[in-house]
Amino acid sequence: MNEISLAIRVLVALLFLTAALGKFRHRLVFQGVVANYRLLPEIAVPAFALVLPPVEIAVAAALLFVPSSWPAVCAAALLILFAVAMGINIQRGRRHIDCGCFQSALKQTLSWILVARNTGLALLLAVPATVPEGGLSPSGAAEALLTGTVLFVLLQSMNVLWSVGPAWRQRRPTTTGAEK
């Protein structure tokens, strides 16, 4: 495993861990988010909402501690599944619902940016899925861990900005031609 591969694993593992913790903390809200997607039969919603956070934690742990390609493949599959679910609802005109990402304290409504984010992360996971296993020096591992963590913080910051932007635009006073 090289430094880039480990950095990507750390980035995605931290994303899955924080998302899973948010879903655990807000179990009932998350169940409502799953129901709002209108993709599962009503009877399956509670089970899916209960099972997904432990699956995300397992995938995150595997990304960090299992030196094989399957954790990256599983993480990419989840990200694509989430992107497809968002895309279906955007196409249905249901942009107003919360994405269920739980990546910030603010709710994020569905957008093509979120679909692109998930797709991009899934594509990034091709690196750890295809890079041959190999040892890293302690300094290389430290650099990779730090890089992955910094990328995670940057992505979280962008998530907050994406969440705040629409709310800020809605509250900003508008000017009309008569006021100019």
Side-chain angles (χ1 to χ4, degrees):
M1 182 181 331
N2 67 24
E3 287 90 351
I4 295 170
S5 177
L6 181 58
I8 293 167
R9 284 174 173 260
V10 169
L11 164 65
V12 176
L14 289 172
L15 285 170
F16 276 110
L17 283 173
T18 56
L21 292 175
K23 290 167 187 162
F24 273 133
R25 268 195 320 266
H26 306 287
R27 284 183 295 274
L28 294 177
V29 171
F30 179 58
Q31 187 172 328
V33 168
V34 172
N36 281 341
Y37 270 83
R38 297 182 185 168
L39 295 173
L40 296 173
E42 246 182 83
I43 196 163
V45 168
F48 183 85
L50 186 67
V51 169
L52 183 59
V55 167
E56 290 178 324
I57 288 173
V59 169
L63 281 168
L64 295 174
F65 301 112
V66 177
S68 75
S69 62
W70 76 263
V73 171
C74 290
L78 280 173
L79 288 165
I80 294 298
L81 174 74
F82 300 153
V84 167
M86 286 187 266
I88 289 170
N89 275 281
I90 292 169
Q91 287 295 108
R92 290 177 175 171
R94 299 178 43 76
R95 292 175 180 262
H96 64 281
I97 65 175
D98 183 19
C99 71
C101 305
F102 289 91
Q103 287 296 314
S104 70
L106 304 168
K107 291 185 177 183
Q108 291 179 287
T109 55
L110 299 184
S111 69
W112 289 115
I113 290 173
L114 293 176
V115 173
R117 178 198 67 189
N118 280 16
T119 305
L121 289 168
L123 290 173
L124 272 179
L125 285 162
V127 174
T130 58
V131 170
E133 301 303 319
L136 277 177
S137 67
S139 65
E143 287 176 16
L145 290 169
L146 184 60
T147 301
T149 303
V150 167
L151 290 172
F152 168 74
V153 170
L154 289 172
L155 187 57
Q156 290 297 81
S157 299
M158 289 170 49
N159 284 335
V160 170
L161 291 174
W162 286 326
S163 297
V164 171
W168 180 77
R169 282 191 296 275
Q170 288 174 350
R171 291 191 178 102
R172 193 173 65 193
T174 59
T175 58
T176 63
E179 295 172 343
K180 290 184 181 177

